[in-house]
Amino acid sequence: APRAIRCWGLKGHISLGNSTLTEGRYYGVPQLVGGAAASLSFSKLYNRGARSGCALRDGTGAAWCWGRGSEGQIGNGSYGNSDPAPVLGGQAFTKLMWVANSSVCGLTKGSASHGRVDCWGSNTLGQLGRGTYGGGSGYTSAPTVSFTGGGGTGAAATARVEGGQVVGVTVTAGGTGYTTTPNVVFSGGGGTGAAASSAISGDAVAAISVRNATLTPAEVAGGHQFVDLMSGASHGNNDTMCALKADGQAFCWGNNTSGVAGVGTTSTAS
């Protein structure tokens, strides 16, 4: 019989893995996750509090994630909440770790007991280990900001670029008639990868936050092979990840405000 996933508690942002359940309701009896995952067998479960979860398939090591996906942490190539969905890329993992509530890193199956580390989701503090953090890369000038959807018109904003990345967006006109948050679109500027979320107040766009995210798994920088990894959440720092090599060397990245990355400084380590 398949080892199915069942979740219980408060359902918010599809946190219980089943979009047919009532939002905001408490479920005291374990509920079967929805979608294709309902009939599949899983070997390991990695939960992240009341928001999201991931699991590894029996035999294959394929990762499936569900719940809140506002920062791309589902790994299915898009933003948005989701029933259990396969993480894109086809990687086979031996272990997953959540980095805070919005990023995931996984140790892939490699030769012997070694593997690379791939991460996806938010990268606001370098927690994806890519060597950079911020809104995209390669920007030589500020991209044009436009809006789609939301039901309104007239919103305008300008982007700010530092070090080739979009680091902020300022609303210059709120527009009118917005009933839902519009999508933020960046174009031009010579770079790629910047994304942002908007917020409305009344019927106008009030604020824009840069979303520093990778929507599918990508290898951490350096080309290293590791034998284990651990999230800083186990030691009071939710935005730090560390991985161990076979020779005992430890590599850490992400939030380093308390020096937890062990690199001799308290600067963000990416």
Side-chain angles (χ1 to χ4, degrees):
R3 293 194 287 181
I5 299 172
R6 296 179 183 272
C7 301
W8 58 94
L10 174 65
K11 190 244 178 172
H13 308 292
I14 319 183
S15 54
L16 301 186
N18 191 328
S19 58
T20 67
L21 301 177
T22 302
E23 191 77 2
R25 176 181 169 183
Y26 286 92
Y27 288 84
V29 176
Q31 304 291 314
L32 185 67
V33 295
S39 61
L40 299 178
S41 185
F42 294 86
S43 60
K44 297 178 181 179
L45 178 64
Y46 302 89
N47 187 43
R48 187 56 193 171
R51 297 182 179 182
S52 311
C54 292
L56 296 182
R57 287 283 313 278
D58 263 342
T60 67
W64 286 57
C65 296
W66 63 89
R68 186 170 185 172
S70 58
E71 300 296 334
Q73 60 265 53
I74 305 301
N76 62 349
S78 66
Y79 297 105
N81 306 332
S82 176
D83 279 335
V87 173
L88 298 182
Q91 292 91 332
F93 295 98
T94 60
K95 185 177 184 178
L96 300 178
M97 292 297 296
W98 281 90
V99 194
N101 294 313
S102 54
S103 312
V104 185
C105 288
L107 182 64
T108 65
K109 291 183 178 179
S111 59
S113 59
H114 302 69
R116 70 174 188 267
V117 172
D118 288 1
C119 301
W120 61 94
S122 174
N123 194 38
T124 53
L125 292 167
Q127 60 264 51
L128 300 188
R130 303 297 306 282
T132 62
Y133 61 99
S137 62
Y139 290 95
T140 55
S141 61
T144 299
V145 182
S146 58
F147 299 87
T148 62
T153 59
T158 58
R160 187 172 78 257
V161 169
E162 294 179 6
Q165 304 172 56
V166 175
V167 295
V169 180
T170 301
V171 176
T172 56
T176 59
Y178 290 96
T179 56
T180 60
T181 55
N183 298 316
V184 181
V185 179
F186 295 100
S187 58
T192 59
S197 299
S198 64
I200 59 175
S201 177
D203 67 346
V205 174
I208 299 173
S209 300
V210 176
R211 292 199 297 199
N212 312 298
T214 295
L215 302 183
T216 58
E219 185 178 2
V220 300
H224 301 287
Q225 293 286 298
F226 298 101
V227 296
D228 199 6
L229 85 158
M230 176 176 287
S231 168
S234 302
H235 301 282
N237 192 312
N238 288 330
D239 298 304
T240 307
M241 180 65 66
C242 291
L244 185 68
K245 297 185 69 171
D247 62 4
Q249 290 187 83
F251 287 73
C252 298
W253 57 92
N255 187 358
N256 190 36
T257 54
S258 299
V260 294
V263 294
T265 72
T266 55
S267 301
T268 294
S270 58

